Amino acid sequence: MSEQILHNLKIILQRIEDACLKSNRNPNEVRLLLATKTVSAENIKIAIASGQTLIGENKVQEIKEKYEDLKSVLHENHFIGHLQTNKIKDILKYNVSCVQSVDRLDLAEKLHQRLVSENKTIEVMIQVNTSNEESKFGVHPDEAIELIQQVAQLKTLKITGLMTIGLFSAETEKVRKCFQLLKSIQEKANSLKIPNLNLKELSMGMSGDLETAIEEGATIVRVGTAIFGQRIHPDSYYWNEGEK
Ligand SMILES: *Cc1c(COP(=O)(O)O)cnc(C)c1O
């Protein structure tokens, strides 16, 4: 298992580098996030030991379960799943440094209230539903700018960028449209010169579409399957049934 993970990681890092070269980008501009849902702490540690620094979980329960095992190894943890407001406390307790999946004002406000009471701040990204699929979370693209403006007013939340899950399709040009849409929202938001707002990050691209995402400006690609293998649950388990 260990060798397989290291081998897969090597391939992914090469794919990232190749995609960067193809689009005249510096590979240092693109960070790999290990999407670690269902992956054991033991296997996550193998990837971290090889030099990876960033993981992302979809469920608070999994963060809890792996916390003790992972706390001795230096890494950063982002939350990339659907976040229910009653789980906010735990997100803060387990040292999540960024919530990439802020997709509604209610969530942002409750997160802010909690942070105020704990005298803390956190990084967030706004998740946009660029594929217009019912099955996916994320703010509607037409409402993204308004949400960004509202969240930017909450002083404990530092918006670092935008996140999306591209359309699942073998038609690359349709997938590309999702990433271009996210990029256009970033440019629009930055052009508005909203106080304290500079969206730098575009978190987009996964095992199947990271090349397209990098060509369209991704700064973080989130990869699970291509490194750790197939998961037991289909993605719908994580994406449209909410927190379990
Ligand atoms: C699972 C997941 C990924 C990684 O998907 P793979 O296809 O396994 O690479 C990326 N982003 C989110 C939000 C996920 O839930």
Side-chain angles (χ1 to χ4, degrees):
M1 190 65 195
S2 158
E3 263 168 41
Q4 188 66 54
I5 291 171
L6 295 176
H7 173 75
N8 292 344
L9 256 173
K10 216 167 125 182
I11 291 174
I12 285 296
L13 293 172
Q14 189 63 52
R15 280 176 61 187
I16 293 172
E17 193 179 324
D18 290 347
C20 285
L21 292 179
K22 191 175 161 198
S23 44
N24 279 319
R25 298 187 57 196
N26 184 334
N28 296 335
E29 289 171 24
V30 182
R31 204 169 170 200
L32 172 61
L33 176 147
L34 309 174
T36 50
K37 51 179 181 268
T38 74
V39 179
S40 68
E42 186 189 349
N43 285 343
I44 296 172
K45 279 185 185 173
I46 291 167
I48 293 176
S50 82
Q52 293 305 309
T53 56
L54 178 60
I55 72 170
E57 289 285 356
N58 288 68
K59 287 188 182 285
V60 172
Q61 185 58 34
E62 283 196 50
I63 297 180
K64 265 189 207 175
E65 284 164 9
K66 301 172 200 177
Y67 183 73
E68 281 301 318
D69 280 339
L70 291 180
K71 86 177 179 205
S72 59
V73 291
L74 197 63
H75 69 286
E76 195 185 340
N77 199 353
H78 287 190
F79 193 74
I80 61 173
H82 181 62
L83 183 56
Q84 286 190 329
T85 52
N86 62 1
K87 300 280 168 69
I88 285 173
K89 255 196 307 206
D90 290 327
I91 288 283
L92 303 183
K93 188 159 135 198
Y94 294 106
N95 290 329
V96 168
S97 65
C98 177
V99 178
Q100 292 198 5
S101 46
V102 170
D103 60 356
R104 57 202 193 276
L105 186 59
D106 167 60
L107 172 63
E109 285 177 341
K110 295 217 163 78
L111 191 53
H112 172 68
Q113 284 162 15
R114 186 75 207 180
L115 285 158
V116 167
S117 74
E118 294 192 21
N119 200 15
K120 285 183 183 167
T121 61
I122 200 168
E123 292 186 346
V124 298
M125 295 186 200
I126 303 299
Q127 180 176 358
V128 184
N129 185 352
T130 55
S131 64
N132 236 325
E133 291 166 289
E134 287 271 330
S135 61
K136 284 182 189 151
F137 294 107
V139 63
H140 188 281
D142 294 345
E143 291 157 14
I145 295 287
E146 189 185 359
L147 180 61
I148 292 165
Q149 287 172 318
Q150 289 165 328
V151 176
Q153 291 176 29
L154 304 171
K155 296 293 178 229
T156 60
L157 306 183
K158 177 167 174 37
I159 314 176
T160 58
L162 306 175
M163 187 269 258
T164 200
I165 300 169
L167 182 75
F168 274 109
S169 167
E171 293 176 65
T172 305
E173 294 317 304
K174 285 188 180 164
V175 180
R176 187 182 303 280
K177 287 244 157 33
C178 298
F179 300 144
Q180 288 173 337
L181 178 56
L182 198 70
K183 174 87 190 168
S184 74
I185 295 168
Q186 176 198 35
E187 286 172 345
K188 171 94 189 289
N190 283 340
S191 76
L192 295 175
K193 306 279 177 235
I194 302 165
N196 300 320
L197 186 85
N198 177 21
L199 302 176
K200 286 186 307 205
E201 308 287 355
L202 288 177
S203 175
M204 57 191 196
M206 316 195 326
S207 292
D209 56 15
L210 68 91
E211 283 85 358
T212 310
I214 288 173
E215 284 164 27
E216 299 305 328
T219 63
I220 297 177
V221 291
R222 309 178 309 267
V223 181
T225 313
I227 298 170
F228 300 107
Q230 289 294 331
R231 292 176 290 266
I232 42 167
H233 300 299
D235 286 335
S236 58
Y237 173 79
Y238 289 91
W239 291 347
N240 57 29
E241 289 165 57
E243 194 72 42
K244 291 247 171 46

